[in-house]
Amino acid sequence: MDTAVNTEAQAAPVLPFYLALVGPTASGKTAAAMAIANELDVEVISMDSALVYRDMDIGTAKPSARERAAVAHHLIDIRDPLQAYNAAEFVADAQALIVAISARGKLPLLVGGTMLYYKALREGLHAMPKADPAIRAELEQRARVEGVGALHAELARVDPDTAARLNPADAQRIQRALEVFRLTGQTLSTLHATNRVASKVQSTDSTAPSNRTSGRTVPTVISLEPAERPWLHTRIAQRFDAMLAAGFLDEVRALRARGDLSAELPSMRCVGYRQAWAALDGTSPMTELRDRGIFATRQLAKRQLTWLRGMPDRQVVAADARDALQRVLTAAHAIRGAAA
């Protein structure tokens, strides 16, 4: 098997103008998107790796049927939970939608917190080795027998930078990092560093980056970030309680009853679903579901905020400000005006 890796980045093409609204989970992105839609003629492109799945409505906090009827939303309910969806597929879908929405005379509005998707769309895709079923199966078996901690310790020996960046309980990403090392002989951190250099070189080329207007790059990212972290923690707890009250456990029971889904699928690894599955399996106490779900969601928000802090060109709006929606609207109008 040829495991050579082409580390030349595939540049992001120049796309029609679009606006992006990002932020950690529970920061109010849906309400802000609807506020923008009330004033600008937009169509929403979801940038959320969980919203792509059908029959996963409560635990993903999907926009309501009323909201989706009022404003066109894309890339929601496009996959069965048995199927996978990745950044490469998102980029292809989003690029096509941005072009189509613009051709209809409307503004594409990307909304979500899956920052890997946004990074891939904006900077272009970087070549990485494809998954190897045999290596992946071996690593998954080791995780079951030895525990994820053992795999994380191995990763810390061969790729300490990646190990330090990853949550020690994040089996999926730890296994992928070890898989890449096995396939290429190079660490994931080395490949990412090479790709960053390639992206910087390509950024001087006329084909990159996207969202270029009249020969200049227009900052197009509005980021909802709380000034006070406790505000977000309260919102996360309130939302998880609301999900439980709305029948989240019944939703997961229905998914389990299909018989063809497992806890190892990307869909069932989504925050909340993983904890609910374990509680229904009896591998963790049902009495701890709420606390585990809230903790996992807080960890997700922390990772998202780390991503966001690495985007210096974003326009930050305090999500916990009393006039947060008005601030978002002011930023959206200013960005739209600058791009005109």
Side-chain angles (χ1 to χ4, degrees), residues 99-182:
V99 171
I101 293 168
S102 295
R104 291 193 284 270
K106 298 186 177 184
L107 172 63
L109 174 61
L110 279 75
V111 181
T114 302
M115 301 314 301
L116 177 62
Y117 284 6
Y118 184 68
K119 180 180 175 67
L121 176 67
R122 182 168 163 171
E123 298 181 6
L125 292 165
H126 306 312
M128 286 286 174
K130 293 182 178 179
D132 182 290
I135 293 176
R136 183 154 293 188
E138 176 196 341
L139 291 170
E140 288 178 349
Q141 175 63 17
R142 284 188 56 199
R144 285 191 291 269
V145 175
E146 302 174 33
V148 179
L151 296 186
H152 188 262
E154 179 181 337
L155 182 62
R157 289 192 294 272
V158 300
D159 187 358
D161 289 342
T162 299
R165 179 173 57 83
L166 296 181
N167 185 324
D170 193 340
Q172 185 177 17
R173 289 184 174 84
I174 291 169
Q175 290 169 22
R176 176 57 177 163
L178 288 172
E179 180 186 39
V180 167
F181 182 72
R182 295 267 197 95

Side-chain angles (χ1 to χ4, degrees), residues 63-81:
S64 67
R66 178 178 296 180
E67 289 165 334
R68 292 165 67 180
V71 180
H73 284 67
H74 304 277
L75 302 188
I76 294 177
D77 291 342
I78 61 171
R79 288 289 187 276
D80 182 85

Side-chain angles (χ1 to χ4, degrees), residues 35-73:
I36 292 173
N38 284 334
E39 298 200 8
L40 297 175
D41 194 7
V42 307
E43 292 187 26
V44 173
I45 301 173
S46 171
M47 196 166 55
D48 189 301
S49 60
L51 297 192
V52 300
Y53 295 113
R54 293 187 289 272
D55 302 321
M56 294 173 57
D57 302 330
I58 299 172
T60 60
K62 280 180 184 168
S64 67
R66 178 178 296 180
E67 289 165 334
R68 292 165 67 180
V71 180
H73 284 67

Side-chain angles (χ1 to χ4, degrees), residues 317-340:
V317 171
D320 47 350
R322 290 180 178 273
D323 59 344
L325 290 182
Q326 185 56 53
R327 294 187 191 188
V328 167
L329 290 174
T330 300
H333 281 293
I335 292 170
R336 191 71 179 99

Side-chain angles (χ1 to χ4, degrees), residues 196-209:
R196 281 194 293 272
V197 171
S199 292
K200 289 179 181 178
V201 170
Q202 289 187 356
S203 69
T204 64
D205 185 79
S206 61
T207 60

Side-chain angles (χ1 to χ4, degrees), residues 11 18 27 62-63 153 155 177 180 186 207 220 258 298 318 336:
Y18 62 85
S27 59
K62 280 180 184 168
L155 182 62
V180 167
Q186 299 182 70
T207 60
T220 58
R258 286 178 36 159
R298 284 186 180 184
R336 191 71 179 99

